[in-house]
Amino acid sequence: MRSSGGLPSAATFGENEVTEVERVIVSIHRVAVIGGDGIGPAVTAEAVRVVRATGIDLAVTEFELGAARYLRDGFVLDDATLSELSQFDAILLGAIGPAIGDSRIPSGLLERGLLLKLRFGLDLYINFRPFRGVPKSLAEGCEFAIVRENTEGPYAGEGGVLRLGTPHEVATQGSVNTRFGVERCVRYAFEKALSWPRPKVTLVHKTNVLTFAGDLWKRVVDQVATEYPSVEVDYQHVDAACIYLVEDPARYGIIVTDNLFGDILSDLAGAVTGGIGYAASANLNPTRVHASLFEPVHGAAHDIVGKNLANPLAAINSACLMLDHVGEFAAATRIRAAVADFDGDVAVIGTAGVADELIRRL
């Protein structure tokens, strides 16, 4: 942890002063920042600036990872760097990926070698994405969240190929669902529902076709629900949920689902609540054994790099989730209030201008 700046020892203070010293020390949080590619460095820089404007002290360490790093020296993410990242209080990620049409990086290399390696290596088994409909969006005034299992399902990598490149090629892709993985995700969803404006958990799956995985998820939800009698419980097939998210998003409180369905539904939810320019994401290790990772869900948007047009609100909202995680609830609340009142246009005031306006409102 960064030095506390040579503060006198607690023994030299009375009881009240000791409390103040402890408060100052606790407010220093060690954050790894992976700006990444495209607009990633710009939006993460503005997110850090807004956080610091609340008085929260972030001890930031920059890590250069992503497409640009790979193209320069072939590095993606090794175990030593993963271990180093694990020791931080939190990780703030901007965006990862090459420019559209750049074929120099094999498909899936960064996704599996960097993003999924972080999720699996740090056991970030919860992906939490809260949504609040902005004015004039399809979900205006609605507030719901998606809790996605983040380390199993089809993304676990089970599968293979036989007779590659021949007319008789066979490709298999399995979905890994363990009772342990499903239950810890479901329990997180119910715990989150207890403090949500609408205490309701909706399981989204495809139990009528995915009979083995779907049955496991449904049984776990039904069993865990008995421990949370104040939480309403519902089930929907994923195709129906895609319709209801557009037509009636107010029906949801907490959606809980598997890795693949959660990936798809989260982007749809971002679109109906105002666009992915607002959408925040938390990849969580609720046990806090490892650092958790916070990121906007948008891409690297190489086409607007250097044009001062990147919307930093998704990164700033992700930083609010990071503040929640490290216990700085008051600062997160202040930033969210400033974002809720924001009515500027990034095309007019620019990336830094958005952060300037939020800081003015804090």
Side-chain angles (χ1 to χ4, degrees):
M1 180 173 288
R2 194 179 69 171
S3 168
S4 60
L7 290 168
S9 70
T12 65
F13 291 90
E15 181 177 350
N16 291 336
E17 288 92 349
V18 171
T19 300
E20 178 62 17
V21 170
E22 291 173 343
R23 188 197 68 77
V24 171
I25 293 174
V26 169
S27 71
I28 300 175
H29 303 286
R30 297 177 62 249
V31 176
V33 173
I34 306 171
D37 303 306
I39 64 172
V43 296
T44 51
E46 298 307 326
V48 169
R49 189 159 70 91
V50 171
V51 169
R52 284 176 167 161
T54 67
I56 301 299
D57 191 359
L58 299 182
V60 169
T61 301
E62 301 273 356
F63 286 79
E64 186 186 2
L65 299 170
R69 174 70 185 276
Y70 174 78
L71 290 173
R72 189 179 76 237
D73 59 21
F75 183 86
V76 180
L77 178 66
D78 60 13
D79 290 342
T81 305
L82 179 66
S83 178
E84 185 179 359
L85 287 167
S86 175
Q87 303 306 310
F88 283 84
D89 298 323
I91 304 167
L92 187 63
L93 172 67
I96 296 295
I100 294 175
D102 188 341
S103 59
R104 291 175 295 171
I105 301 178
S107 177
L109 177 72
L110 295 176
E111 290 82 358
R112 296 209 67 86
L114 177 54
L115 298 177
L116 292 185
K117 186 170 182 175
L118 284 168
R119 292 181 194 173
F120 297 148
L122 303 180
D123 198 20
L124 306 178
Y125 62 88
I126 294 294
N127 182 265
F128 175 68
R129 297 191 186 182
F131 298 94
R132 180 178 297 163
V134 303
K136 299 182 181 179
S137 69
L138 292 173
E140 180 175 356
C142 297
E143 187 173 356
F144 60 92
I146 295 177
V147 173
R148 162 189 170 192
E149 200 292 315
N150 211 30
T151 59
E152 297 187 348
Y155 294 9
E158 193 277 331
V161 63
L162 180 65
R163 295 189 290 273
L164 178 66
T166 74
H168 306 288
E169 182 174 338
V170 178
T172 63
Q173 194 76 61
S175 179
V176 177
N177 299 264
T178 68
R179 170 73 192 219
F180 172 76
V182 172
E183 184 169 340
R184 65 181 181 174
C185 177
V186 169
R187 287 191 177 279
Y188 182 89
F190 274 92
E191 285 294 321
K192 185 63 70 173
L194 290 176
S195 59
W196 203 253
R198 181 170 188 179
K200 178 181 179 180
V201 170
T202 300
L203 169 63
V204 173
H205 212 282
K206 193 68 174 173
T207 57
N208 58 338
V209 176
L210 304 177
T211 53
F212 301 114
D215 177 63
L216 173 59
W217 276 88
K218 186 66 167 60
R219 282 187 289 109
V220 170
V221 167
D222 290 344
Q223 292 169 16
V224 172
T226 63
E227 304 173 30
Y228 297 85
S230 62
V231 177
E232 183 183 355
V233 183
D234 192 14
Y235 170 81
Q236 288 173 3
H237 292 328
V238 65
D239 43 348
C242 289
I243 297 172
Y244 291 135
L245 268 174
V246 175
E247 294 184 343
D248 185 23
R251 71 188 296 150
Y252 296 110
I254 303 292
I255 294 172
V256 64
T257 188
D258 79 349
N259 209 336
L260 178 59
F261 295 149
D263 193 1
I264 297 167
L265 290 175
S266 294
D267 283 353
L268 176 59
V272 302
T273 52
I276 59 173
Y278 296 91
S281 175
N283 296 275
L284 300 172
N285 182 305
T287 68
R288 300 176 185 270
V289 172
H290 303 294
S292 292
L293 183 149
F294 305 85
E295 60 176 325
V297 303
H298 59 64
H302 288 265
D303 56 319
I304 60 172
V305 172
K307 298 181 179 180
N308 201 29
L309 293 175
N311 186 346
L313 288 177
I316 292 168
N317 286 333
S318 298
C320 287
L321 295 175
M322 179 183 73
L323 290 174
D324 289 336
H325 182 70
V326 299
E328 299 289 359
F329 304 109
T333 298
R334 289 173 60 197
I335 296 174
R336 287 192 179 102
V339 171
D341 291 338
F342 177 75
D343 55 2
D345 185 346
V346 67
V348 175
I349 65 177
T351 305
V354 173
D356 290 340
E357 180 62 20
L358 294 180
I359 291 170
R360 186 185 68 79
R361 295 167 183 260
L362 287 175

